[in-house]
Amino acid sequence: MKTRKIHYKSIIAFLILFVGFTSCEDYLEITPKDKISDGVLWSDISQTELFINDIYAALPSVVNRFDPWENWSDDAMDGINGATSRNVYAIAAYTPENAENQWGQYSNIRKCNLLIKNLSGSDLPEDWKALRLAEVRFLRAYFYSLLWTWHGGVPIIEDVLNYSEQGDEIFRPRNSSEETFDFITRECDAIANDLPLVAKENGRITRGAALTLKAWCELFNASPLHNPANDKSKWTLAASTYKEVMDLGVYDLFPNYETLFYEENNFNQETILAKPHVGGTNIGRSTEGLAGPHFSGGSQTAYGMLNPTQEIVDEYLMENGLPITDPESGYDPQNPYAGREKRFYQSIVYDGSMWNGAVFYSRLGVESNNELDLGISTGGTNTGYSFRKGLKEEYAVNGNNRLSSANSILFRYAEVLLSYAEAQNEAAGPDASVYDAINEVRTRSELPSLPEGLTQEEMREEIRRERRIELAFEERRWYDLIRWKIAEEKLNGKLHAMRIEEVDGNLTYTVIPAPGGERMFYADRNYYLPIPQSAIDRNSKLEQNPNYE
């Protein structure tokens, strides 16, 4: 197995700069960054590093907000009735006025453009400049990838806009989706060789991150949303780039799926791109207090804002590798949590399991604070389940506690393997390399290899299930529903919960519609999120996405 040396002093130094700049509001307000380019900022490495670290800080966190994007999918629901995911997104009530959007990335893109313009012409050391310019061009491409996957084609802006100097020329029309995709992938190609295989400071951008971003966008572009004619060459392109990442010889699966996400294993050999967090500071992570089980040990220890659904629970395999729908699997619907694969126990808190030193009871009639909430009134689970994956009990402190230093992992090697398997299967069918990639992921969780002789369609089903399980609650499922163009199927109707109660001395398990679990999705418009009306009001050249007028 490949190993990677973790440079702890470098991590600390990088994060001190990271924290220092994100809290340095007075400095930013006193001297505008675009007014000191030659005099101070672009002639001093330490000042420029602070500016770059501020751009790094804009990378998103995973399940570290009050209403995680995972709740937009069929895998999870927010435990609070007033959540936007339940009252706006779930019922497709979002509009250009109220929808979440990625348009704020243009502020980050402007910072990138400012850095690229001024650093390129500075007298700082050329080798240092080349590396930092490559990092910032990656970050700009990443921000554009968020805009593109949410909204489709967007204005591509590479210069530094200034209304006082340019007037209305700063307002640009949208580029096409294909042009936006081409820009992102060309940028990744252009910078890849300027980036190191292994960064000297953990948390910095590497060649693997650039190639993985390129491959992810190619996969998105090859999928049915952007490839209705199923052009095989698009799948081949994505498979080829993912294979480049695999052939770098840098990454490997971390041996323990459960502890992979713990802070003591930050920047392990599976991590390709991650946003660092520093517990006890303003950039500490709060996932345990926001998304974890609502109550434990007699007190509230989280908001409970991510409740796994019965839909995702049913996807987890049995320990023999068979789905619960297979008659040979051994699944017992009246003992549904016995004999399941390891990732189930590592990801889900279920009735009768332990969390934070106490038994979690979602069954009815035992006066548990975590009892299934049938009335959407308590803030407790509406599905009978709570979130566990990557959480540490010591940080089970209610609310936005910022206690954890665990990374938000944005790209990891298991996803590379599964994405390669998907792209290669679509391009050429289930050849040996497809089996090898998916079986490598399964082996880590002690599952048997897939049976030989699967058809392309059967392999597609296995890859999609494996991807859903392996990447559960890492905010990938919504993107997959969108790019596969199956959101209209999966996000229309009701999500489900498990009702458990004692009848004649025995527990009975009944799958029921989850309270507040209604889902709606309009295929004629909802595959793209709307351009915010505020942006269109400022820029009349912007065209709204279809059917949001």
Side-chain angles (χ1 to χ4, degrees), residues 242-253:
Y242 276 119
K243 188 64 164 58
E244 283 189 70
V245 180
M246 295 159 64
D247 289 344
L248 291 176
V250 174
Y251 307 107
D252 203 349
L253 296 181

Side-chain angles (χ1 to χ4, degrees), residues 100-301:
E100 289 194 49
N101 63 79
Q102 290 288 347
W103 223 252
Q105 299 299 343
Y106 277 109
S107 175
N108 300 322
I109 289 167
R110 186 181 192 279
K111 292 177 184 178
C112 294
N113 290 339
L114 188 67
L115 182 284
I116 292 166
K117 173 186 175 182
N118 289 287
L119 185 57
S120 297
S122 76
D123 294 327
L124 293 173
E126 290 300 323
D127 57 344
W128 182 86
K129 283 189 346 186
L131 177 58
R132 295 297 180 252
L133 284 168
E135 291 177 14
V136 172
R137 288 175 70 180
F138 170 90
L139 292 167
R140 182 176 64 177
Y142 186 89
F143 300 141
Y144 269 114
S145 77
L146 295 175
L147 282 159
W148 176 63
T149 52
W150 281 45
H151 301 290
V154 296
I156 299 170
I157 300 170
E158 298 181 74
D159 53 330
V160 180
L161 303 182
N162 188 318
Y163 184 79
S164 64
E165 296 176 1
Q166 298 168 277
D168 288 345
E169 290 182 10
I170 70 169
F171 299 120
R172 312 283 173 82
R174 296 174 66 177
N175 289 82
S176 69
S177 175
E178 193 67 21
E179 288 169 339
T180 308
F181 162 74
D182 286 343
F183 173 77
I184 297 166
T185 54
R186 284 198 313 269
E187 283 290 283
C188 292
D189 273 337
I191 63 177
N193 288 333
D194 288 332
L195 292 164
L197 287 175
V198 178
K200 291 182 179 179
E201 300 169 327
N202 282 288
R204 297 282 187 187
I205 305 304
T206 62
R207 189 179 308 168
L211 291 174
T212 303
L213 175 60
K214 178 175 182 271
W216 163 240
C217 291
E218 289 168 345
L219 186 76
F220 204 96
N221 197 55
S223 300
L225 178 67
H226 288 296
N227 189 18
N230 197 26
D231 180 350
K232 299 289 187 182
S233 68
K234 293 186 175 184
W235 291 109
T236 299
L237 184 64
S240 176
T241 307
Y242 276 119
K243 188 64 164 58
E244 283 189 70
V245 180
M246 295 159 64
D247 289 344
L248 291 176
V250 174
Y251 307 107
D252 203 349
L253 296 181
F254 188 74
N256 189 314
Y257 180 79
E258 180 173 9
T259 61
L260 157 67
F261 305 96
Y262 290 176
E263 61 189 10
E264 57 264 34
N265 294 317
N266 282 346
F267 303 110
N268 60 63
Q269 67 264 32
E270 189 164 341
T271 303
I272 298 173
L273 176 66
K275 176 172 181 170
H277 295 278
V278 183
T281 76
N282 65 330
I283 59 168
R285 193 171 179 186
S286 306
T287 304
E288 285 84 354
L290 296 174
H294 197 45
F295 278 86
S296 58
S299 61
Q300 185 174 348
T301 50

Side-chain angles (χ1 to χ4, degrees), residues 30 192 223 442:
I30 291 171
S223 300
R442 290 167 66 93

